[in-house]
Amino acid sequence: MSQDPFALLKAEVDLLGRLLGEAIRTLSGERFFALVEEVRALAKARRQGDEAAGEALLARVEGLSTEEAEALVRAFTHYFHLVNLAEERHRVRVNRLRAQAETLESPRPEGFLALAKALKERGLSLEEAEAHLNRLELLLTFTAHPTETRRRTLRHHLEALQRELEAGDRERLAARVALLYGTEEVRKARPTVEDEIKGGLYYLPTTLWEAVPRVVAGLEAALERVYGRRPRLKSPVRFRSWIGGDRDGNPFVTPEVTAFAGRYAREVARRRFLEALEDLVRDLSLAEARVPVPREVRERGEGVERFMGEPYRRYFAALYRALEREEATTEGLLAALKAAERGLREVGLGRVAEAFLDPLEARLSAFGLELAPLDLREESGRLLEAAAELLRVGGVHPDFLALPQEERERLLTEELKTARPLLPVGEAPEGEALRVALGALKAWRDKGAHVVSMTHHPEDLLAVFLLAREVGLYRPGRPLPFDVVPLFETLEDLRRAPGVLRRLLENPVFLAHARGRGGVEVMIGYSDSNKDAGFLMAKTPFAMVRILWRYKPKLTEDEGVVFRRYGRVSERNNRALNQLIGGVSGFETDVVKTANAGEHAMSLGLALRLPLASGYAVEPQELVSLLELYGGVFPLEDEEVLQHGVEIFQIETRNPHLHENKGDEHIRDMLLACLATVYHSKLATEEVRQSVLEELQAAGALAPGEEPPPPVLYPPLSSLDLQAVRKALRGHLSRFRVP
């Protein structure tokens, strides 16, 4: 079979399309198959510019009955599912080929090898790199806003098709495609919240379960290639979930649902880890007579009756039994795995540890026995309503909500100095808000974070402490066993946020909590603030917008219009600026896409602060200046910018941007001016400068031994003496005439 990935993609799309056609013939008949083929052929002809075909297609579709139209949509929906499947496999193949082709000298910029190389070039030892990476924590949250509308059954069939394609069994492929086509896309009954929980967490014990060990192993292998020794890394990725805990605006997320969500996730995780331990019992059949065994491994397995003389089997059988009885913890299992791993490595069986134990360690560090700790999310008004009932029935205040905001904060702070509950023993809450809030906290076993949506004032968060005290989760002077997270959503709340956080960290209750938790998590509801205030109002006063032209056609004498995805100078300049950032950060990046932005704008506040370059250097120098002034490498003295920050928006347009082809000399001049900004930057490392020189010499813009001339820089407009400028202009105005 050809190794051309595009040829493989086409072959798979053709094969899946033919198999779908066979399924349509079988299940829907020849007449409907002919309709599908007719519509497909007309659509293809229209796409190729045949206007008559477009008119015929419109007439054909308009003449369909509702049943025929629905069936046609279903057929093409399944076709696009299959095409997407083939495209996903294509991306995997391309990435594999790129990974196979990379070398230490030329790693993929986005790959682990480039990261490992950058760490070493920054002077980090393997031990230091290992420590840095083991501190890395990327927390991904599955929210309660569904983005996957396909039934789990359809996802199952599509995943099975992936495996069938890999195996190359045409008969099973045909059978699976027929099953897919014959399956309803939409549920007959409205999904319950429990269904949403199961559907939302689908990828955790399936796709992500398989991916996490590969990520960790890939990162370890890259470091081994660069440093010569293999480190031990935990998963840099962990997961949380809002599904079943997000009560903000959803009355169906009851305390009972919250309890189910946590219970379901734990049970799924337990089953998967039991399967993994069962595999270890089956595989690690090392005989004590042949392999020395650590005392810890031998002793822990002594209570197991089976597998005499095979201590590792007995060891993991004991762990299996503990997990089955729900007597194991994530930390305990990790420690047990590490003990077994040390025993294997001490006798030269490191490969066995890597192949059989490391994947399970990676999964435990990523998922734990909770799979994804559940967050609670509730609107601040409901929390204050619940707190008001508590304070009323406890005799603290008859109408808490009528108090001024500052007085509410003072009252809650004073009340939280004691550990007393307020709800009388045996008395049930009267209000729905208090019943739900207390019920959810009692049902919430796997504590992620408690998110307070629509946070306005400090008392919104202090109300959580009061409610937590009522169910025994808070003691004065101690932190809560979970993070309390403010979520600022409106424009006014975003503006008020710094002051709210300042007051929270001055509050003795919240300060003790923040210190005990090691910091404060803050959430910004950008989409909500954007809906509230509009795109521009939600931004910093120091902003820049730059256009990425995805297509830059050139008008040439010989070939007419020649299409290029990127301009030749833009592509090289983007790469140089990303190298500049990478040289400072130690990490490879491709964040800069608009080094040469012919069309861009910036706020007046930012424009007054930036030095300006002349000629072709003007646009890349803007980014270089921003990095030098506000990139965090050098001290930032501008308090106003420090307060607001600088934002750069890179907006891609797919509209063609027509250019006249001005020849190679023009390209060399532009390239020299642009790359000179990077070469002469205060941030440029020797490696970056050398790379720029090689680029310019290869393009013929510099001779060997030459250096690019520094860009001509003009001081920021805010530093100019405007009175002197006005006087100079008046002295020369007579020389200018309007024709």
Side-chain angles (χ1 to χ4, degrees):
M1 183 180 287
S2 171
Q3 291 303 301
D4 178 3
F6 291 100
L8 291 172
L9 171 63
K10 186 178 184 306
E12 286 187 351
V13 170
D14 290 344
L15 173 60
L16 292 170
R18 286 196 303 274
L19 295 178
L20 179 61
E22 293 173 11
I24 292 172
R25 263 201 186 99
T26 302
L27 297 175
S28 300
E30 286 288 345
R31 182 173 173 274
F32 181 70
F33 173 75
L35 171 64
V36 172
E37 284 297 291
E38 180 187 359
V39 169
R40 185 186 65 80
L42 288 171
K44 183 178 180 180
R46 179 185 176 275
R47 209 166 47 247
Q48 294 173 344
D50 187 341
E51 294 183 6
E55 294 173 2
L57 175 63
L58 182 61
R60 189 72 176 90
V61 171
E62 285 179 340
L64 297 175
S65 67
T66 303
E67 292 77 14
E68 288 174 322
E70 182 183 354
L72 191 65
V73 169
R74 286 187 64 250
F76 279 100
T77 297
H78 283 301
Y79 175 73
F80 290 124
H81 283 325
L82 295 172
V83 171
N84 288 338
L85 176 68
E87 288 181 345
E88 288 172 10
R89 284 176 48 79
H90 172 68
R91 284 195 294 272
V92 171
R93 273 194 300 268
V94 169
N95 284 328
R96 282 176 181 169
L97 290 172
R98 294 186 65 223
Q100 292 167 5
E102 72 175 347
T103 64
L104 276 173
E105 293 72 30
S106 181
R108 293 178 296 156
E110 76 279 10
F112 290 147
L113 192 59
L115 170 61
K117 187 178 177 183
L119 290 172
K120 188 172 184 179
E121 290 173 349
R122 294 281 290 178
L124 273 68
S125 67
L126 178 61
E127 290 74 21
E128 289 170 330
E130 183 178 4
H132 276 296
L133 291 171
N134 277 329
R135 285 196 296 270
L136 181 64
E137 190 170 281
L138 178 62
L139 195 59
L140 304 179
T141 300
F142 285 68
T143 73
H145 308 294
T147 57
E148 175 61 84
T149 59
R150 290 178 296 189
R151 293 176 64 194
R152 280 183 294 160
T153 304
L154 288 180
R155 284 180 270 170
H156 163 72
H157 286 310
L158 290 169
E159 288 172 4
L161 275 167
Q162 287 263 24
R163 296 191 293 271
E164 307 295 358
L165 277 169
E166 200 72 36
D169 189 330
R170 193 184 186 284
E171 292 304 313
R172 285 191 64 85
L173 266 176
R176 184 66 67 175
V177 171
L179 285 171
L180 178 71
Y181 179 69
T183 300
E184 289 281 0
E185 297 90 343
V186 182
R187 297 179 179 89
K188 294 298 185 183
R190 180 176 179 177
T192 64
V193 179
E194 288 80 0
D195 292 327
E196 290 182 12
I197 292 167
K198 294 176 182 179
L201 299 180
Y202 175 85
Y203 292 104
L204 283 162
T206 54
T207 308
L208 292 169
W209 188 266
E210 298 301 323
V212 164
R214 292 201 295 269
V215 169
V216 175
L219 190 50
E220 288 178 348
L223 289 164
E224 186 177 20
R225 285 183 67 180
V226 172
Y227 286 94
R229 288 187 294 117
R230 195 178 183 98
R232 287 294 298 119
L233 301 177
K234 68 176 184 64
S235 170
V237 182
R238 291 196 300 111
F239 304 93
R240 288 200 326 216
S241 172
W242 281 13
I243 310 172
D246 185 1
R247 305 194 306 279
D248 186 10
N250 190 346
F252 299 107
V253 182
T254 62
E256 293 74 23
V257 167
T258 297
F260 171 83
R263 190 168 61 248
Y264 174 79
R266 289 192 299 274
E267 182 56 31
V268 169
R270 194 171 74 95
R271 286 201 306 268
R272 294 309 313 262
F273 284 118
L274 283 171
E275 293 168 3
L277 290 172
E278 190 174 20
D279 289 341
L280 291 176
V281 172
R282 186 182 304 112
D283 291 325
L284 294 190
S285 56
L286 297 168
E288 189 171 13
R290 297 186 179 183
V291 179
V293 179
R295 184 174 65 180
E296 181 180 351
V297 172
R298 185 185 299 107
E299 290 178 350
R300 185 158 191 166
E302 286 178 352
V304 178
E305 296 178 359
R306 299 178 63 195
F307 312 117
M308 298 302 295
E310 297 174 323
Y312 281 99
R313 276 182 154 178
R314 292 161 65 92
Y315 183 75
F316 286 109
L319 291 177
Y320 181 99
R321 186 165 59 190
L323 180 57
E324 191 177 37
R325 295 173 178 175
E326 298 189 11
E327 297 170 353
T329 64
T330 301
E331 294 74 22
L333 285 175
L334 275 171
L337 283 171
K338 290 183 183 298
E341 179 193 346
R342 285 193 301 271
L344 292 171
R345 294 187 187 279
E346 284 171 2
V347 297
L349 293 177
R351 288 185 175 180
V352 173
E354 288 173 15
F356 292 91
L357 301 188
D358 288 3
L360 187 55
E361 281 191 47
R363 287 168 179 143
L364 272 169
S365 65
F367 303 103
L369 295 180
E370 300 81 21
L371 193 66
L374 183 66
D375 290 354
L376 291 187
R377 181 171 179 255
E378 182 59 280
E379 195 264 334
S380 61
R382 297 282 289 174
L383 294 171
L384 290 174
E385 186 181 339
E389 182 180 343
L390 267 183
L391 295 168
R392 178 176 56 79
V393 299
V396 178
H397 198 280
D399 194 358
F400 172 74
L401 296 179
L403 293 173
Q405 176 263 314
E406 292 82 1
E407 186 61 22
R408 292 185 201 173
E409 182 183 344
R410 187 202 63 77
L411 188 151
L412 286 172
T413 303
E414 190 67 25
E415 176 60 29
L416 288 167
K417 291 179 180 179
T418 72
R420 61 176 183 176
L422 295 175
L423 195 66
V425 177
E427 184 171 322
E430 296 178 3
E432 178 73 7
L434 182 58
R435 185 190 69 78
V436 171
L438 295 182
L441 285 167
K442 290 175 182 176
W444 191 31
R445 175 174 163 183
D446 305 318
K447 300 173 181 63
H450 196 306
V451 181
V452 181
S453 64
M454 298 299 287
T455 294
H456 307 302
H457 303 288
E459 68 267 23
D460 298 337
L461 274 67
L462 294 177
V464 176
F465 289 76
L466 186 73
L467 296 165
R469 188 186 72 175
E470 202 65 24
V471 297
L473 294 176
Y474 177 70
R475 292 290 182 268
R478 299 180 184 178
L480 287 167
F482 52 84
D483 290 331
V484 183
V485 180
L487 170 54
F488 300 102
E489 298 181 85
T490 69
L491 176 63
E492 188 57 37
D493 288 333
L494 287 172
R495 288 171 172 167
R496 198 163 35 220
V500 172
L501 291 170
R502 192 177 300 111
R503 281 169 54 192
L504 278 169
L505 293 175
E506 292 170 352
N507 184 287
V509 173
F510 195 86
L511 179 60
H513 166 77
R515 284 173 171 165
R517 297 293 298 178
V520 181
E521 180 180 342
V522 179
M523 197 173 292
I524 303 295
Y526 175 73
S527 62
D528 296 282
S529 65
N530 189 36
K531 286 182 288 188
D532 176 62
F535 180 77
L536 293 176
M537 289 184 67
K539 308 311 298 179
T540 171
F542 308 108
M544 179 183 293
V545 180
R546 303 170 74 94
I547 300 294
L548 166 62
W549 294 100
R550 178 52 61 93
Y551 299 108
K552 299 192 78 170
K554 307 290 183 180
L555 300 174
T556 67
E557 293 183 2
D558 300 329
E559 303 174 84
V561 180
V562 178
F563 282 83
R564 293 182 60 91
R565 289 198 68 183
Y566 299 101
R568 286 176 287 177
V569 176
S570 298
E571 190 171 13
R572 296 171 181 177
N573 204 24
N574 288 342
R575 184 165 60 243
L577 273 164
N578 284 313
Q579 286 180 330
L580 184 70
I581 297 172
V584 174
S585 67
F587 296 97
E588 296 285 345
T589 180
D590 64 348
V591 65
V592 176
K593 306 289 189 182
T594 54
N596 291 78
E599 286 68 35
H600 71 287
M602 70 182 83
S603 63
L604 185 60
L606 186 59
L608 290 172
R609 286 166 164 82
L610 286 186
L612 300 175
S614 64
Y616 299 128
V618 60
E619 289 123 357
Q621 182 62 47
E622 289 171 351
L623 294 182
V624 170
S625 295
L626 285 172
L627 290 170
E628 291 176 349
L629 292 171
Y630 310 122
V633 178
F634 305 114
L636 180 61
E637 298 178 356
D638 193 324
E639 289 294 330
E640 190 176 4
V641 175
L642 182 63
Q643 180 183 356
H644 294 281
V646 176
E647 291 189 349
I648 304 172
F649 300 94
Q650 300 178 119
I651 300 174
E652 179 182 315
T653 176
R654 294 182 181 265
N655 293 326
H657 188 37
L658 291 170
H659 276 262
E660 180 185 0
N661 189 353
K662 298 179 181 178
D664 292 338
E665 185 176 353
H666 171 70
I667 295 296
R668 285 193 293 269
D669 290 343
M670 285 188 66
L671 192 64
L672 179 61
C674 291
L675 294 189
T677 64
V678 174
Y679 183 88
H680 290 285
S681 170
K682 294 184 292 184
L683 300 174
T685 63
E686 189 56 40
E687 182 183 1
V688 169
R689 289 195 176 95
Q690 187 59 39
S691 176
V692 168
L693 288 177
E694 291 172 0
E695 182 81 61
L696 290 173
Q697 289 169 10
L702 276 184
E706 286 186 327
E707 287 193 344
V712 177
L713 293 181
Y714 301 100
L717 292 174
S718 59
S719 67
L720 297 179
D721 185 343
L722 295 181
Q723 294 297 331
V725 172
R726 185 182 298 112
K727 185 178 179 181
L729 287 174
R730 284 176 177 170
H732 294 279
L733 280 178
S734 60
R735 301 183 183 182
F736 297 92
R737 295 287 187 270
V738 178

